[in-house]
Amino acid sequence: MTACAIEGGTAGAAATADPEAEPEPEEPGEPGRPEAPAGADREDGEDWEDAEEYAGAGEIEEAEASPSGAGARPFADAAPPPGRFTLTADGAYAARLTAAPGPPGERAWYPERWTLDGPEPYAVPLPLDQPEEPDSEVAPLADGRVLIRRRVADRQMFSLLYPTGPGTGELLLGAVGCAEMTLLPPSPDGRCAYALAAGEDHASLWRVAGGAFGPEEVARIPGHCSGGVWLDRAGRMLALDRREPGGGPVKAVAVDLGRQGEVTPLLQIAPESNDRLLLADADSGLLLIRSDAPGHDRLGWGVLGSCLPVRFPECLRLPDVAVTPFAVQPGQMLMPESCAVALRIDGAPGSWVGVWRPAGRQLHQFAAPLGWVPGAGYWSRDGVLRLPYANGATPCGVALLDAPEDVEPSSVTGRTSGGKGGGEPSAADAAPAVCKPVPLGQAPLHRAARPD
């Protein structure tokens, strides 16, 4: 592995540093004046309170896979709520648990597969003779089958579901003797699926679909692990957020499935900071990071293998809301700053959509389509964001949103842009605010797809 320093930074109303729980919105602080961690000195000599970036004392390392190994995200500690979409890496299929109409507490849950790569999206219900438990998990594969994880007593049961004419076929894969497991995001290879069993002293990584003999343990990682982000398109390099067995900060590590689960450091922004990886794009190397290196959790970005510091854009630091990235525009080879990033924004009014590019340094906010499952969506290579939704009028739809163009701050305010190296405008110039989301009817939305 080649170690390369990356820009350290924070942005966005962020999550807590506890890997045992889902992230909570951070307490709003004084805009633009985070407390600097000990030893966080800028290379250019500026004081911390005037800085936009944090050049971390540690480093982000480049995850390299040797050509000899065969190819083998979100928090893994808590099961997702029913209704959350899980998409294949290419966005062709999605799956979720949904419920038949009925009184609360008596609804019958069943898996549903969405086909999204055709001219019109459509959903296929996959019910069996017995309703599913609401804590079951589903994940689509590239061939259209849907993996389901069920908890039965102290075991985890895995099956593949597929439509068979008017009914649903089921292929039993096997069981794992474990009280708690969580499915990871579908592998980019489209064939395999993995699950994480997190313990206090070690975590077990299982390949639960795509193997030759049913579920098999492929790696055992010391420490408590959560998260799960794929770093390549072969499904070999997996990033996990790990706390060492003896305690200490949470650091993202890379797990090489081609080398029997070899673990190497990935994020090292500051010695005592909690550094988590939220998203990664294999084409451009863009990384979306959450770290408390500047004193509290912020959302930042860097580039895998780069020697530049992590940046924490001020425009993503919004008061009283949580900002979480959920999709990165693919196909931007070696151009991480040009990638459009879709963000889920959660506040008192609900959830809506943000669009941001590292180079643009602007956050565009839009109202989500009615029935959107927050955090569900994917980009096309040409910069169109697809947001699956379902409501009473449209049981299966996809809203299409063109990534908006960024406008230079100087052309809007009449001021010249300042700062070194194209950094973010300082909080003293313009404190970020939660804008009223633009309704999708007024957004650059060129069509909404729905079945006939």
Side-chain angles (χ1 to χ4, degrees):
M1 262 192 162
T2 303
C4 293
I6 270 194
E7 298 190 6
T10 52
T16 63
D18 181 7
E20 307 280 339
E22 290 286 339
E24 297 293 337
E26 69 179 13
E27 290 296 325
E30 183 181 356
R33 296 291 298 271
E35 179 184 355
D41 296 324
R42 285 176 54 85
E43 296 176 349
D44 57 11
E46 294 181 11
D47 292 336
W48 170 258
E49 53 265 28
D50 296 327
E52 296 283 334
E53 307 166 6
Y54 171 50
E59 51 195 30
I60 292 181
E61 305 202 7
E62 181 178 6
E64 297 180 338
S66 68
S68 60
R73 215 167 147 270
F75 292 83
D77 296 11
R84 192 191 75 169
F85 277 81
T86 302
L87 292 110
T88 55
D90 60 1
Y93 292 102
R96 67 167 183 169
L97 280 184
T98 190
E106 300 181 12
R107 295 180 177 177
W109 295 95
Y110 61 90
E112 184 177 70
R113 189 200 71 192
W114 286 40
T115 300
L116 303 172
D117 61 347
E120 299 290 346
Y122 63 92
V124 177
L126 296 172
L128 294 172
D129 296 335
Q130 182 175 347
E132 306 293 345
E133 295 295 328
D135 63 348
S136 299
E137 288 184 299
V138 293
L141 300 182
D143 61 6
R145 295 182 295 178
V146 173
L147 174 71
I148 184 168
R149 178 201 61 81
R150 304 181 180 99
R151 181 170 58 185
V152 179
D154 58 350
R155 296 188 302 164
Q156 307 293 322
M157 307 289 294
F158 296 92
S159 298
L160 289 174
L161 306 179
Y162 52 93
T164 56
T168 300
E170 181 176 20
L171 175 63
L172 299 178
L173 298 177
V176 177
C178 179
E180 297 291 340
M181 290 188 84
T182 303
L183 290 181
L184 295 178
S187 172
D189 67 6
R191 275 188 317 108
C192 300
Y194 295 83
L196 185 68
E200 292 300 324
D201 297 327
H202 72 275
S204 296
L205 182 64
W206 290 74
R207 181 166 54 219
V208 296
F213 305 104
E216 57 180 323
E217 187 178 31
V218 294
R220 183 165 292 193
I221 303 105
H224 180 84
C225 295
S226 60
V229 176
W230 293 102
L231 300 174
D232 64 346
R233 294 204 174 278
R236 171 175 172 176
M237 301 301 300
L238 175 69
L240 295 173
D241 301 326
R242 181 182 69 162
R243 189 189 300 274
E244 293 282 358
V250 177
K251 300 289 186 182
V253 297
V255 181
D256 189 344
L257 301 182
R259 293 182 177 177
Q260 292 75 49
E262 179 183 66
V263 178
T264 52
L266 183 66
L267 291 181
Q268 299 284 345
I269 297 177
E272 298 302 321
S273 62
N274 294 284
D275 308 322
R276 293 180 172 86
L277 182 63
L278 304 182
L279 280 180
D281 176 60
D283 295 334
S284 65
L286 179 65
L287 304 179
L288 279 302
I289 298 158
R290 198 181 296 283
S291 173
D292 61 2
H296 57 93
D297 276 356
R298 294 278 301 273
L299 185 64
W301 69 277
V303 182
L304 187 66
S306 171
C307 294
L308 297 174
V310 171
R311 293 175 182 253
F312 298 94
E314 195 66 31
C315 67
L316 299 183
R317 188 184 180 197
L318 306 181
D320 303 321
V321 300
V323 181
T324 307
F326 64 86
V328 180
Q329 180 185 0
Q332 307 302 296
M333 302 300 294
L334 305 178
M335 296 190 299
E337 295 184 354
S338 301
C339 291
V341 178
L343 304 113
R344 166 183 172 175
I345 306 176
D346 297 300
S351 300
W352 59 99
V353 180
V355 176
W356 163 81
R357 292 185 186 90
R361 306 192 299 274
Q362 298 179 44
L363 176 62
H364 307 270
Q365 302 180 50
F366 303 98
L370 180 64
W372 177 59
V373 179
Y378 58 102
W379 288 98
S380 67
R381 290 176 175 261
D382 56 354
V384 177
L385 178 61
R386 288 163 164 79
L387 300 172
Y389 68 95
N391 54 46
T394 306
C396 177
V398 177
L400 306 183
L401 178 65
D402 285 317
E405 295 296 330
D406 294 310
V407 180
E408 289 295 331
S410 57
S411 66
V412 176
T413 63
R415 303 179 58 177
T416 58
S417 58
K420 297 183 179 181
E424 304 290 335
S426 70
D429 292 336
V434 179
C435 304
K436 181 179 180 181
V438 177
L440 277 178
Q442 302 173 22
L445 181 70
H446 53 81
R447 72 182 181 92
R450 65 177 66 188
D452 295 332

